[in-house]
Amino acid sequence: MPSIQRRSSATVQIGAVRVGSSVPVVVQSMTNTDTADIESSVQQIAALARAGSEMVRVTVNNDDAAKAVPYIVEELAKKGWNTPIIGDFHYNGHQLLAKYPDTAEALAKYRINPGNCSIGRKDDDNFRTMVEVAVKHQKPVRIGVNWGSLDQALLTKMMDENSKSAQPLEARDVMMEAMVVSALDNAAAAERYGLRRDQIILSAKVSGVRDLIDVYTELARRCDHALHLGLTEAGMGMKGIVASTAGLAPLLLAGIGDTIRVSLTPTPGGDRSEEVRCGQQILQSLGIRSFMPQVTSCPGCGRTTSTYFQELAESIQNYLVESMPEWKKQYPGVEELKLAVMGCIVNGPGESKHANIGISLPGTFEDPVAPVYIDGKLAMTLRGDDIVNEFKVILDDYVQKRYSNVLVGV
């Protein structure tokens, strides 16, 4: 697969994690627990980290939340997690960071929304206060512009200027430009107040796919800061997944983006980690990073009216998810493994040959035989009622032989 040329950007150190063009794109997430509830927050952060979130953001919106942060970081360390914790600040971040120095020190990064930190003021003293705390504790900052909370004074000024222009732009284009200007102006201010360029990450989040592509393309063209990508308020389920993929993929393929988050609305009581797995799958589908062995399986047709191949594909997919925590420890590189579970002989053998291990089931009305291909060659043919378990044994044996060699350097 052709490599993707990342645009040049500064490398930012966030706790134990590095972000920037010299390192792989990082997947992050955010809790939806009450940060003041230490136990619940620790449990969710650990679950997100276990799913693969390499950084986790928490809301720090009041005194109780700020007081809880050091204890959350401490409890995570006791459980063996050193995942960087990011503090999300809006209206009162300048007060909380100044009032709770232990929190300012415990956090690995601060997220500041410039549109919310100085509401009602004509200066940027609140923004400056947060930046100066970051400088004091040597913490990186994400300056996160969001079109839902864009600096209204800046937007009004730019709209007024545009209306007087001989060739005024569409209101949407002025909005996109205002987001870029806000991000760049605040980044410049942060540097004036003492942050180094390699301590600044920028984001400019919108909820429209085309808007996302346009605003980040322009932002990347005009700066060399590390960029965090995400479609804000992406939505629930399929809508959120498809919209996020459609927005992030063109940017990532263009080399734009150093960290990503997929902002899915979870179902009530749903699994917050879904957004982490979605972000990983976007990167893996684009050939940017690998996180999990991939299963190629066909959609089925009139030749596969039984559900057997669907059940096999599901069983193998679940088996991979269950096995990966231990496999990752024992078998470096196993995330690159490619499997194929095909329903009939039309494309089955050919697709199977392209995988490390592939099985081509016989279809609905064909002889009950299932050829298995290993590294492109026919290795055996399975028959009978125990094909699923037999295929798992073949998979285990392949992983052990192929990736144990990687472990010992053979």
Side-chain angles (χ1 to χ4, degrees):
M1 184 175 292
S3 61
I4 294 170
Q5 183 65 43
R6 296 270 298 284
R7 76 180 188 99
S8 176
S9 65
T11 300
V12 182
Q13 190 73 41
I14 304 171
V17 175
R18 297 172 71 224
V19 168
S21 63
S22 64
V23 292
V25 178
V26 170
V27 176
Q28 61 177 280
S29 184
M30 183 176 184
T31 60
N32 62 356
T33 57
D34 179 356
T35 306
D37 185 340
I38 296 172
E39 182 178 354
S40 294
S41 296
V42 168
Q43 289 178 355
Q44 188 171 86
I45 292 168
L48 291 168
R50 194 175 298 112
S53 184
E54 293 157 299
M55 298 187 288
V56 177
R57 183 158 45 113
V58 300
T59 296
V60 187
N61 59 333
N62 54 40
D63 289 87
D64 289 340
K67 290 176 185 177
V69 166
Y71 297 100
I72 291 171
V73 173
E74 181 181 347
E75 287 301 310
L76 287 167
K78 289 178 182 178
K79 296 178 182 296
W81 296 104
N82 66 347
T83 307
I85 305 303
I86 302 162
D88 191 63
F89 296 98
H90 289 271
Y91 311 101
N92 57 354
H94 59 294
Q95 297 170 336
L96 296 174
L97 283 170
K99 187 176 180 180
Y100 298 101
D102 288 348
T103 296
E105 180 59 33
L107 291 167
K109 184 178 77 170
Y110 311 155
R111 187 272 180 148
I112 302 175
N113 183 335
N116 283 341
C117 65
S118 296
I119 288 178
R121 300 180 65 95
K122 294 183 179 180
D123 54 47
D124 66 350
D125 283 356
N126 294 351
F127 177 83
R128 180 172 185 164
T129 296
M130 286 188 275
V131 170
E132 289 177 342
V133 172
V135 172
K136 177 181 178 180
H137 293 275
Q138 284 300 290
K139 303 294 181 178
V141 169
R142 170 159 73 94
I143 297 172
V145 178
N146 191 303
W147 75 345
S149 50
L150 185 59
D151 182 339
Q152 290 302 298
L154 173 65
L155 181 60
T156 299
K157 175 177 176 289
M158 293 181 66
M159 286 289 189
D160 288 345
E161 291 174 351
N162 181 66
S163 67
K164 298 172 184 176
S165 171
Q167 294 181 314
L169 301 173
E170 296 288 337
R172 179 261 190 192
D173 296 331
V174 179
M175 168 77 81
M176 296 298 102
E177 176 64 12
M179 293 190 66
V180 172
V181 168
S182 178
L184 296 179
D185 284 356
N186 281 281
E191 289 194 64
R192 289 197 304 273
Y193 301 146
L195 274 182
R196 302 188 309 271
R197 182 154 296 216
D198 66 353
Q199 293 177 310
I200 298 172
I201 296 175
L202 299 183
S203 65
K205 289 192 173 183
V206 295
S207 57
V209 170
R210 293 290 295 273
D211 296 328
L212 183 82
I213 296 169
D214 289 350
V215 74
Y216 272 100
T217 299
E218 184 62 16
L219 184 59
R221 187 182 71 80
R222 287 158 62 175
C223 78
D224 62 355
H225 290 290
L227 299 181
H228 167 70
L229 302 187
L231 188 73
T232 192
E233 290 96 35
M236 181 178 283
M238 182 176 66
K239 186 270 179 185
I241 292 171
V242 172
S244 293
T245 304
L248 295 182
L251 293 168
L252 291 166
L253 288 173
I256 297 171
D258 302 293
T259 80
I260 66 169
R261 183 197 173 195
V262 177
S263 300
L264 297 181
T265 304
T267 57
D271 184 2
R272 187 71 164 181
S273 301
E274 181 185 14
E275 67 176 43
V276 179
R277 292 188 289 272
C278 182
Q280 291 176 329
Q281 190 60 56
I282 290 172
L283 293 176
Q284 186 148 355
S285 296
L286 296 174
I288 294 174
R289 288 186 66 182
S290 294
F291 300 92
M292 170 74 70
Q294 300 290 282
V295 179
T296 298
S297 58
C298 66
C301 65
R303 297 178 65 88
T304 56
T305 53
S306 82
T307 61
Y308 188 72
F309 90 93
Q310 300 166 349
E311 294 162 5
L312 175 59
E314 182 181 41
S315 178
I316 295 302
Q317 184 69 57
N318 291 339
Y319 187 66
L320 291 172
V321 172
E322 295 166 4
S323 302
M324 272 303 288
E326 194 59 37
W327 281 1
K328 286 173 68 175
K329 298 176 186 176
Q330 297 187 51
Y331 307 120
V334 70
E335 62 274 4
E336 303 280 354
L337 179 67
K338 292 180 173 58
L339 299 156
V341 178
M342 303 299 291
C344 76
I345 61 170
V346 172
N347 292 318
E351 194 70 58
S352 296
K353 291 176 184 177
H354 291 299
N356 296 112
I357 308 175
I359 184 169
S360 178
L361 294 174
T364 304
F365 302 113
E366 299 163 21
D367 293 335
V369 296
V372 175
Y373 294 82
I374 297 179
D375 291 331
K377 297 180 180 179
L378 179 62
M380 64 201 72
T381 300
L382 302 182
R383 295 177 172 84
D385 299 326
D386 202 31
I387 288 177
V388 173
N389 289 325
E390 290 178 13
F391 190 69
K392 288 179 182 178
V393 171
I394 295 168
L395 174 58
D396 283 336
D397 183 64
Y398 183 90
V399 168
Q400 194 276 328
K401 290 179 178 177
R402 168 78 179 266
Y403 297 101
S404 288
N405 290 342
V406 174
L407 185 63
V408 297
V410 175

